[in-house]
Amino acid sequence: QVQLVESGGGLVKPGGSLRLSCVASGFSSSDYYMTWIRQAPGEGLEWVSYISKDGKTIYYADSVKGRFTISRDNAKNSLFLDMSSLRVEDTAVYYCARDQVARAGDSFDLWGQGTKVTVSS
Amino acid sequence: EIQMTQSPSSLSAYVGGEVTITCRASQNIGDFYLNWYQQKPGRAPKLLIYASNRLESGVPSRISGSGSGTDYTLTITSLQPEDFATYYCQQSYTLPPTFGGGTKVDIK
């Protein structure tokens, strides 16, 4: 079954750190760019970061630059998001998604179920 | 950063009816860099349309997309109960990818 499964969310205090993981199954994630997208409670979707197939090209949203680090382990079909200096406004459901860069539209065609991150004192 | 503006933000429609959602980009994003997603409460978004008008595999043909430049539309005909959800447009023309604010479609 082709799917993405995130884990690692939880409750953390402002200034704290958390590592999110996303494991792909049913396909080789090394064939795709991968992305993190988040959704604050009751809000819309916000792109966070993406990483190229070989991990050498990485981009971040300005809102997380310098605080979040995306990485991948292709041997384990896994994607990670290391989050530090967390702020209350980082509270959201975090989704990993497969990025169809090679196809017209460059869309996110497969999403995980999401993992919830709450930053609160 | 390209701003994506959806309208309306919400609408009500009957089962069997038709809805059209509009998405406007703050600058020209060409003909192939606009995607549409559906999201139901508590669920992840699902890709419906990519490259403005191409139907994702498995998506029913009553859903269609059109547009170019700055103006795009998503149309759903013969609305089914499973179509009541929130819809988002997204541009992939430049980084960062940005989403519209969403349009919630509920049952009248």
Side-chain angles (χ1 to χ4, degrees):
Chain A
Q1 184 180 0
V2 175
Q3 63 178 3
L4 297 166
V5 178
E6 301 98 334
S7 61
L11 174 63
V12 61
K13 289 181 167 50
S17 300
L18 212 54
R19 181 179 229 210
L20 306 184
S21 300
C22 170
V23 178
S25 58
F27 71 100
S28 177
S29 64
S30 61
D31 291 336
Y32 296 89
Y33 279 53
M34 297 295 293
T35 294
W36 287 98
I37 294 164
R38 68 184 181 183
Q39 186 170 35
E43 301 294 325
L45 300 164
E46 180 189 15
W47 173 84
V48 172
S49 178
Y50 87 58
I51 186 168
S52 60
K53 291 185 282 187
D54 60 7
K56 293 181 179 179
T57 301
I58 288 172
Y59 285 99
Y60 297 99
D62 287 345
S63 58
V64 306
K65 200 174 296 182
R67 301 187 299 120
F68 289 12
T69 301
I70 191 172
S71 62
R72 66 191 301 164
D73 183 341
N74 286 338
K76 296 183 178 179
N77 248 8
S78 296
L79 174 72
F80 306 100
L81 187 67
D82 287 293
M83 306 184 294
S84 63
S85 302
L86 282 162
R87 305 168 180 168
V88 170
E89 54 266 34
D90 294 319
T91 295
V93 174
Y94 284 74
Y95 297 100
C96 67
R98 188 172 72 179
D99 192 337
Q100 280 282 9
V101 170
R103 187 176 72 171
D106 188 6
S107 56
F108 307 120
D109 74 327
L110 179 68
W111 297 61
Q113 85 287 354
T115 187
K116 186 176 181 180
V117 173
T118 303
V119 185
S120 174
S121 54
Chain B
E1 177 173 316
I2 296 176
Q3 306 300 319
M4 305 300 292
T5 303
Q6 284 182 237
S7 60
S9 56
S10 65
L11 64 89
S12 297
Y14 291 105
V15 173
E18 177 175 320
V19 298
T20 297
I21 299 168
T22 296
C23 179
R24 174 165 289 175
S26 59
Q27 66 182 71
N28 191 324
I29 59 171
D31 297 341
F32 302 110
Y33 297 98
L34 192 284
N35 308 305
W36 290 96
Y37 302 84
Q38 176 195 67
Q39 187 178 34
K40 297 180 180 179
R43 304 289 295 274
K46 171 188 173 184
L47 177 65
L48 299 176
I49 299 284
Y50 65 96
S52 177
N53 58 14
R54 303 183 193 189
L55 201 63
E56 176 69 347
S57 176
V59 175
S61 58
R62 63 177 183 274
I63 296 174
S64 63
S66 64
S68 65
T70 60
D71 295 315
Y72 298 82
T73 60
L74 177 73
T75 300
I76 308 174
T77 61
S78 187
L79 273 165
Q80 298 300 301
E82 60 267 28
D83 298 330
F84 293 94
T86 299
Y87 294 85
Y88 293 94
C89 62
Q90 174 246 330
Q91 67 81 20
S92 55
Y93 184 72
T94 62
L95 286 171
T98 47
F99 293 86
T103 296
K104 184 177 181 181
V105 178
D106 61 24
I107 299 176
K108 184 178 284 186

